[in-house]
Amino acid sequence: MSGTAPRTLVDAIDASLKQALRTPDGVAPPAALLWTDADGQWSPLIPTLQKVLPQLYVLGAYAPEERRGPVIWLRCVVERSLPEVSPPEGVVPILYLPKVSRQDLRTGGDCPAELQPLIELQYRGAVWHQRNGRDWTVEAFLTSDDGVGLDVAKDNRTRDAMLRALVLLAPEPLTVLRGRRLEADDFDRLAIGDPVRDLLSWMSDKDGFESRCDPTHWATFKDICWREFGLDPDEDGIQGAADALLHGGGKWDDVWRRFCDAPRLYPGVSTVLRQARPRDLLGLADHSRRPGLNEEREDKLRKELEAALSLPHGQAYDRIVALDAEHKERRGWVWAQLGESPYAIALEPLGKLAKAAKVPLGGATAEAMAADYAAQGWQCDRAAIDALSRLRQGGESVLVTKVVRALYEPWLDRSARRFQELMSASGVDPHRLTASVSAERDACVLFADGLRFDVGAVLRERLEARGFRVRMSHRIAPVPTVTATAKPVASPAHGSCSGKADTEDFTPVIMTSGQPTTASRLRDAMARAGTVILDDDQASMAVSSEGGGWTETGKLDTLGHSLNALLIRQIDPEVDALVDRISALLTAGWSRVRVVTDHGWLLLPGGLPKVELSPHLVATKWSRCAAVKGGSTPDIPTYPWYWNPILRIASPPGIGAFVANTEYAHGGISLQECVIPELVVERGEAAVAATIAGISWRGMRCRVTVESNAAGLQADLRLNWKQAASSIVAAVKEVGSNGEASLAVADDKHEGAAASVVISDTSGRVLDYKPTTVGEDA
């Protein structure tokens, strides 16, 4: 549940492609990812990307050694009919389709015959595109917040220079491109000789680099290497360059920094550094430049993690914390970026897990223990999820999963048993610990199914990062912690529900009809009480919202039951979807959004411990709860059903489960199941608003007057107000403090054309637009 900002354009593209491959429904990964590019703008960058993405294939003339071929060859790659070129199982092929637009594939029978075999891959696969459904152009990706988020001038000269410099832009650190407007000259400077880039390219692929050089270029390169780096490529060769890079000093430190900024663009450098000859290991200042040393330490760490599995719990915690301190430096080495330090990377959340799991949760009462968990105990759950979510497929994932279980299971079980003891104490009524949810004027209740407390904390962080104000508190879920019992309590319709004489399905009834409380009946009850019911794609606020609003979203619980421990891969996209939904509701006018849930859950790779329960003692049995039959007296703890305390619910002790091999479960008594988050989200500041008050023309220059409550707005003139790429001005202008901006049309050919003046905020969101005719008074 963590991520880092992309270092380079290539990293940003890689991250965006991975985002497009996410499957929130958790059913099956896409068969392929289609990358359509109507104008072929990305073509020059594809060879560079193929170095980083071995699963990237290109539509074109048959050249399997370059991972390029016609449509039928691409289909064979997708279907794994060509094992010698197809990606490994579990890796989704990416198909780059130059000169093909997404619209071409969507026309069905009208699609060109040679492309028709790709049509069905739109439905079995995924397509890389902008949020508006259009193909990613280079300009759109560089300027969009969903891409790189650079500030690029909109004039034609800058666009042309940007496309010319695309390959040279790929390895540039994005940090040096941010914080200023990029214009044509900035991109043209990239085309000027870059000695460091050329040296790294030669070291990475000597034969390929030299084959691309004519005699003049090679002579120039050798001269620069001698003058700038003291290296003779002919005499010293790759070996001399590797030795010099290993030891550093002078401009070789600049070479090392550039390699660290984009190591995946120079894959051969890692190989040559393994052959470098240290002059004096004791005197080598920077051990991080030695890939072999990193490999040795990774192997040693693997053995130490295996040994820690056999230690007593207390000693295992201390050992993992000590290993984290010993190896944390390597997480900053370049080899970690290249995926060569998986155990060192895993140690970061493992160290946090070990520290958190060593501290028992306090509290003399159930309420006090729940409060302690809500204050800090949830961080143990988050560390466990983080450790598991960072794993790749391979041997290291098996070992790290075992370490997570060894650290996490004792803490989980110990905490659950203490909480169960407090919940069963004399005089404790679990019903009184549970608070219900009420409707509020102008507030929308957002029900997120199965939002566990640690996931709620991640949601809070991401909302605050977007500028929202968030207040987070906790509630205790009703017994048993299953949707049928708990969802009515989390809705404003709880007052319309009551218990019944049996509890086999743990479902209360609607008092007026005696019918079970299904989701639709709960919504009907809320609507009758004046609550506005919103579908999952609605956000608008009603004219009168005395009874507030209600909407539902999220699939965490559904995914948990279908994916078990693999749920961890879907937590991030689910949280992102919640952030988007909350943002849309607040933008639509709701004064605040109250995020509620019904229950949490336990998750333990390898399965929860099995607890036996005689079937003749219970009427129904789920993994973490069972309805006690009549006057039966099971020898495990029982609790009163929330909706009818006369009826008893059996719950396994600790984190046990009645069903074997259960990795994901809820329904029992544990802090993770019972202590649930509640978030109240409000806009962090007054919503930015803008209105175009006037438009006037003088020749090919347009003067715009804007009324707004914010500064820093941008004025543009577009042929299509929705598309930034359709801008026809020499440069987008900032609205001045006087509320005015002057826009110059870049080309006289647009005189008389229908266009729109567009005002947008700093994120690119369109605040207002108004049609006009180029060159004429509005």
Side-chain angles (χ1 to χ4, degrees):
M1 294 188 287
S2 62
T4 56
R7 294 170 178 262
T8 66
L9 172 60
V10 170
D11 291 335
I13 294 171
D14 185 18
S16 183
L17 291 169
K18 289 177 180 175
Q19 176 69 25
L21 285 170
R22 284 182 167 176
T23 52
D25 57 4
V27 176
L33 178 62
L34 304 183
W35 178 350
T36 50
D37 182 8
D39 298 324
Q41 291 185 354
W42 294 101
S43 294
L45 190 58
I46 295 303
T48 300
L49 286 169
Q50 285 185 307
K51 295 178 183 177
V52 175
L53 301 169
Q55 71 273 35
L56 176 58
Y57 301 83
V58 182
L59 173 64
Y62 182 66
E65 68 282 357
E66 298 176 16
R67 281 180 270 145
R68 187 177 73 240
V71 167
I72 190 64
W73 182 81
L74 294 178
R75 283 302 306 262
C76 290
V77 168
V78 173
E79 305 303 334
R80 303 300 200 278
S81 302
L82 300 172
E84 66 278 7
V85 294
S86 297
E89 287 297 330
V91 177
V92 178
I94 302 170
L95 309 185
Y96 172 66
L97 310 176
K99 302 296 183 179
V100 177
S101 72
R102 188 182 180 206
Q103 191 60 36
D104 290 336
L105 300 179
R106 298 179 72 184
T107 55
D110 293 331
C111 176
E114 66 273 15
L115 297 178
Q116 288 186 6
L118 297 175
I119 291 176
E120 64 94 16
L121 287 179
Q122 297 178 97
Y123 309 105
R124 280 203 300 133
V127 182
W128 188 51
H129 57 74
Q130 302 180 54
R131 285 193 179 188
N132 59 16
R134 298 185 178 276
D135 295 342
W136 274 116
T137 63
V138 173
E139 181 181 30
F141 191 78
L142 288 181
T143 58
S144 170
D145 287 339
D146 292 333
V148 178
L150 298 179
D151 182 6
V152 180
K154 303 294 185 180
D155 59 282
N156 292 329
R157 181 168 169 260
T158 299
R159 291 192 186 98
D160 293 341
M162 174 180 63
L163 294 177
R164 287 195 305 269
L166 182 59
V167 174
L168 303 175
L169 181 66
E172 289 296 309
L174 293 176
T175 51
V176 305
L177 301 174
R178 301 189 188 280
R180 58 194 174 96
R181 166 149 293 198
L182 300 174
E183 298 182 339
D185 291 344
D186 296 294
F187 293 109
D188 286 340
R189 288 190 193 100
L190 293 173
I192 300 173
D194 184 342
V196 174
R197 182 186 65 225
D198 288 347
L199 178 56
L200 283 169
S201 297
W202 174 68
M203 292 179 66
S204 179
D205 182 12
K206 177 179 181 295
D207 293 340
F209 182 87
E210 293 180 5
S211 69
R212 295 190 295 271
C213 291
D214 57 35
T216 301
H217 188 181
W218 177 247
T220 301
F221 174 70
K222 290 198 300 179
D223 181 61
I224 291 175
C225 281
W226 179 250
R227 286 189 290 104
E228 298 283 337
F229 307 104
L231 176 80
D232 186 330
D234 285 335
E235 294 294 328
D236 301 322
I238 291 293
Q239 184 69 62
D243 294 346
L245 183 58
L246 178 66
H247 293 94
K251 290 197 173 181
W252 283 101
D253 289 338
D254 295 335
V255 179
W256 177 253
R257 282 190 289 270
R258 180 72 70 85
F259 172 63
C260 291
D261 282 336
R264 294 190 297 169
L265 295 184
Y266 310 105
V269 171
S270 175
T271 302
V272 301
L273 275 174
R274 283 176 168 81
Q275 303 164 4
R277 301 165 297 195
R279 289 192 294 267
D280 178 4
L281 288 179
L282 296 177
L284 185 60
D286 188 356
H287 290 289
S288 71
R289 301 191 186 192
R290 296 174 55 200
L293 176 63
N294 183 67
E295 289 177 355
E296 293 172 9
R297 294 187 178 178
E298 272 291 291
D299 186 59
K300 179 174 178 285
L301 175 56
R302 175 184 58 79
K303 295 175 181 176
E304 290 171 324
L305 289 173
E306 290 173 343
L309 292 174
S310 60
L311 295 174
H313 297 149
Q315 294 180 31
Y317 297 149
D318 292 339
R319 186 62 183 139
I320 296 300
V321 171
L323 288 173
D324 180 38
E326 179 183 344
H327 291 272
K328 66 180 180 180
E329 177 190 16
R330 290 198 295 114
R331 292 196 283 269
W333 291 6
V334 67
W335 317 116
Q337 291 184 53
L338 293 171
E340 297 176 15
S341 309
Y343 292 119
I345 294 296
L347 265 179
E348 183 178 13
L350 285 177
K352 293 178 181 178
L353 174 59
K355 290 177 182 177
K358 192 175 181 180
V359 179
L361 290 171
T365 65
E367 299 100 310
M369 193 172 186
D372 191 32
Y373 173 77
Q376 60 183 11
W378 61 268
Q379 296 178 26
C380 192
D381 300 317
R382 179 168 180 178
I385 294 295
D386 279 349
L388 294 169
S389 64
R390 297 188 190 189
L391 296 179
R392 305 178 304 174
Q393 295 296 321
E396 67 270 10
S397 67
V398 176
L399 175 55
V400 173
T401 299
K402 289 180 179 178
V403 175
V404 169
R405 185 179 178 102
L407 299 174
Y408 189 41
E409 182 180 8
W411 178 86
L412 272 181
D413 193 67
R414 187 168 58 246
S415 301
R417 290 178 185 275
R418 175 58 178 161
F419 188 59
Q420 290 161 8
E421 178 185 334
L422 295 173
M423 289 283 280
S424 302
S426 175
V428 173
D429 181 1
H431 187 285
R432 293 181 179 275
L433 301 179
T434 299
S436 55
V437 173
S438 301
E440 299 178 63
R441 175 187 173 90
D442 296 336
C444 185
V445 175
L446 171 62
F447 175 82
D449 193 18
L451 185 68
R452 198 168 74 166
F453 199 91
D454 56 318
V455 182
V458 175
L459 175 61
R460 176 188 61 190
E461 292 171 5
R462 297 195 185 171
L463 287 166
E464 289 176 341
R466 291 270 289 263
F468 296 110
R469 290 199 304 269
V470 185
R471 301 192 308 276
M472 183 171 173
S473 57
H474 72 277
R475 296 188 300 119
I476 295 180
V479 178
T481 49
V482 295
T483 301
T485 288
K487 186 174 181 179
V489 182
S491 77
H494 61 87
S496 302
C497 307
S498 67
K500 53 184 180 177
D502 68 81
T503 182
E504 290 188 13
D505 58 1
F506 310 114
T507 304
V509 298
I510 302 294
M511 286 189 290
T512 56
S513 65
Q515 294 179 311
T517 54
T518 61
S520 61
R521 289 173 183 143
L522 284 174
R523 288 193 290 267
D524 290 343
M526 285 184 275
R528 287 193 296 270
T531 298
V532 178
I533 307 300
L534 302 175
D535 292 335
D536 58 9
D537 59 348
Q538 288 181 300
S540 59
M541 184 176 178
V543 175
S544 175
S545 55
E546 292 289 338
W550 167 271
T551 189
E552 303 176 32
T553 193
K555 303 175 183 177
L556 277 172
D557 189 39
T558 301
L559 293 172
H561 287 297
S562 62
L563 298 177
N564 292 305
L566 293 179
L567 170 67
I568 57 174
R569 300 180 182 177
Q570 301 300 332
I571 289 176
D572 270 344
E574 284 296 304
V575 171
D576 289 341
L578 282 169
V579 171
D580 289 342
R581 181 66 172 136
I582 293 166
S583 177
L585 289 166
L586 292 172
T587 300
W590 293 98
S591 63
R592 59 194 172 280
V593 174
R594 186 178 181 185
V595 183
V596 301
T597 192
D598 47 359
H599 57 74
W601 32 268
L602 289 171
L603 186 146
L604 188 66
L608 300 170
K610 175 71 164 59
V611 173
E612 298 297 335
L613 179 64
S614 299
H616 70 275
L617 299 177
V618 295
T620 186
K621 181 173 68 177
W622 295 2
S623 58
R624 284 279 291 165
C625 59
V628 177
K629 185 184 298 183
S632 301
T633 55
D635 57 358
I636 61 173
T638 62
Y639 304 86
W641 183 36
Y642 176 86
W643 290 103
N644 186 347
I646 296 175
L647 303 176
R648 307 293 292 177
I649 305 296
S651 179
I655 57 169
F658 296 135
V659 180
N661 303 315
T662 298
E663 293 186 321
Y664 171 93
H666 58 89
I669 307 295
S670 72
L671 294 160
Q672 289 71 23
E673 297 164 284
C674 294
V675 182
I676 51 179
E678 181 168 315
L679 294 82
V680 176
V681 189
E682 299 173 301
R683 287 185 291 271
E685 56 187 24
V688 175
T691 302
I692 299 172
I695 301 173
S696 61
W697 286 91
R698 178 170 294 181
M700 299 298 285
R701 182 172 292 276
C702 176
R703 183 173 296 279
V704 183
T705 304
V706 180
E707 296 176 353
S708 176
N709 62 351
L713 304 183
Q714 303 288 316
D716 194 3
L717 189 65
R718 303 175 184 175
L719 298 177
N720 184 328
W721 70 270
K722 296 181 180 179
Q723 299 177 21
S726 69
S727 174
I728 58 174
V729 297
V732 175
K733 292 297 183 69
E734 184 172 307
V735 178
S737 58
N738 60 354
E740 296 184 353
S742 180
L743 301 169
V745 178
D747 195 324
D748 290 347
K749 71 179 183 181
H750 295 299
E751 185 173 5
S756 295
V757 173
V758 176
I759 304 300
S760 58
D761 62 16
T762 53
S763 69
R765 182 169 63 96
V766 174
L767 302 175
D768 194 20
Y769 68 95
K770 184 169 290 187
T772 186
T773 301
V774 176
E776 297 182 4
D777 287 339

